[in-house]
Amino acid sequence: MFFTKRCPGCGRMLPVFEDKDICENCADDFIDISDKLFYVRELEFLKAVYLFSGPPRHGLHRFKFRNDGSAGRFFADRICEMICKEKKFIDTDIVIVPIPGNVKDTDREYVQAEFLAKRIARKLKIACVCDAIRKRKAVKSQTKCRTVAERRKNAQNAFILNKGKYEKLAGKNVLLIDDISTTGSTLSSAAETLKKAGVEKIYGVCVAKTPTGKERKGRYIIPYPEEMKMTVVDAVEYENKR
């Protein structure tokens, strides 16, 4: 009763006295892409922990739609591990900002990005400003958009900077947190709004990345802005693991 652990993928109970966070059935399908960088407009780069497929997808859906906080804590801890490997994230001028939830999501116990951001900020001892931006009331959820073009249009001017937050953000670097990134449109729009407050650099971090249509057809092309090099990863090897 008191020490129950569940697999973040399938939700099954894990053995209490074994040091495992993922069950044997799901372990091979948690495809780690944390060593890759993705280009998103307005961001220095975007990093994700997992490919959005299989068990990570099921776990995120339970976290997002079924209030599964244990899965959320697992994913937040994996983001922390990824951030600690990227030393440039950790400095005195960085602030964590979560992507705000849709104003209509009143049936959920929490906003998933805010849940992740608070745990990450607490574990890494970094300042977190959860109310830096908010969504406009007319913006619908990205999950209801069927095409890439529709997602991008829906995300345009989707956010408003809250008054009184300029002094907390001006001259700072921001770690922008979200749960899932598909086209990067939401992160890009949020970053554009944050830059109006005088934010210097914005890094995007999410739990999982969905491959775009072009990426699914052949290869993931992942730019590294600082080195200006291209790391090309064959997507077939990812698909074969799914």
Side-chain angles (χ1 to χ4, degrees):
M1 280 179 66
F2 299 104
F3 302 102
T4 299
K5 288 200 303 182
R6 293 186 178 275
C7 173
C10 62
R12 294 174 183 168
M13 285 176 40
L14 297 170
V16 176
F17 299 106
E18 291 186 16
D19 189 20
K20 291 183 179 179
D21 293 321
I22 305 172
C23 75
E24 293 180 358
N25 293 333
C26 294
D28 291 340
D29 293 323
F30 272 77
I31 301 174
D32 192 320
I33 57 172
S34 60
D35 60 334
K36 312 303 177 190
L37 299 178
F38 296 90
Y39 173 75
V40 175
R41 188 174 60 86
E42 304 294 344
L43 300 181
E44 296 297 309
F45 53 75
L46 168 67
K47 286 181 74 73
V49 183
Y50 297 116
L51 198 65
F52 185 58
S53 65
R57 178 174 181 170
H58 300 321
L60 280 166
H61 281 171
R62 288 202 320 279
F63 169 51
K64 190 169 184 175
F65 301 114
R66 299 182 185 178
N67 299 316
D68 188 345
S70 63
R73 288 187 288 274
F74 169 84
F75 290 126
D77 292 347
R78 299 294 81 75
I79 289 179
C80 286
E81 292 173 4
M82 180 177 68
I83 291 171
C84 289
K85 292 178 183 177
E86 197 72 41
K87 298 298 183 183
K88 68 185 71 177
F89 283 142
I90 310 298
D91 60 56
T92 55
D93 292 327
I94 202 153
V95 176
I96 290 178
V97 175
I99 294 291
N102 195 294
V103 293
K104 297 179 182 179
D105 291 343
T106 55
D107 56 332
R108 300 182 188 175
E109 293 181 2
Y110 49 75
V111 177
Q112 58 274 8
E114 184 176 323
F115 182 103
L116 295 169
K118 286 180 177 178
R119 184 171 178 87
I120 293 166
R122 186 168 60 252
K123 289 179 75 71
L124 299 181
K125 298 179 181 179
I126 300 174
C128 181
V129 183
C130 290
D131 55 350
I133 54 177
R134 68 179 188 274
K135 275 189 176 180
R136 296 179 186 272
K137 292 183 179 180
V139 178
K140 64 182 179 181
S141 171
Q142 288 286 72
T143 57
K144 297 180 180 179
C145 300
R146 295 184 178 182
T147 65
V148 173
E150 191 177 351
R151 279 176 171 269
R152 288 175 178 166
K153 184 177 180 180
N154 185 57
Q156 286 180 354
N157 301 316
F159 300 97
I160 303 171
L161 186 69
N162 281 328
K163 294 180 179 179
K165 302 303 174 183
Y166 287 87
E167 66 278 3
K168 292 184 178 181
L169 300 174
K172 304 285 186 179
N173 295 331
V174 163
L175 193 59
L176 196 57
I177 306 288
D178 203 1
D179 55 345
I180 306 161
S181 175
T182 301
T183 63
S185 300
T186 300
L187 288 162
S188 177
S189 180
E192 190 174 7
T193 302
L194 287 169
K195 285 187 175 180
K196 295 176 182 177
V199 172
E200 293 291 330
K201 294 180 179 180
I202 302 176
Y203 304 98
V205 175
C206 62
V207 174
K209 173 76 170 66
T210 304
T212 63
K214 290 182 179 179
E215 289 167 342
R216 283 184 182 277
K217 289 179 181 177
R219 293 177 173 178
Y220 292 85
I221 301 179
I222 304 154
Y224 287 72
E226 291 185 0
E227 294 85 355
M228 298 303 291
K229 296 179 181 178
M230 304 293 284
T231 297
V232 181
V233 181
D234 192 351
V236 175
E237 69 180 32
Y238 288 127
E239 297 295 330
N240 290 338
K241 293 179 182 179
R242 294 176 60 185

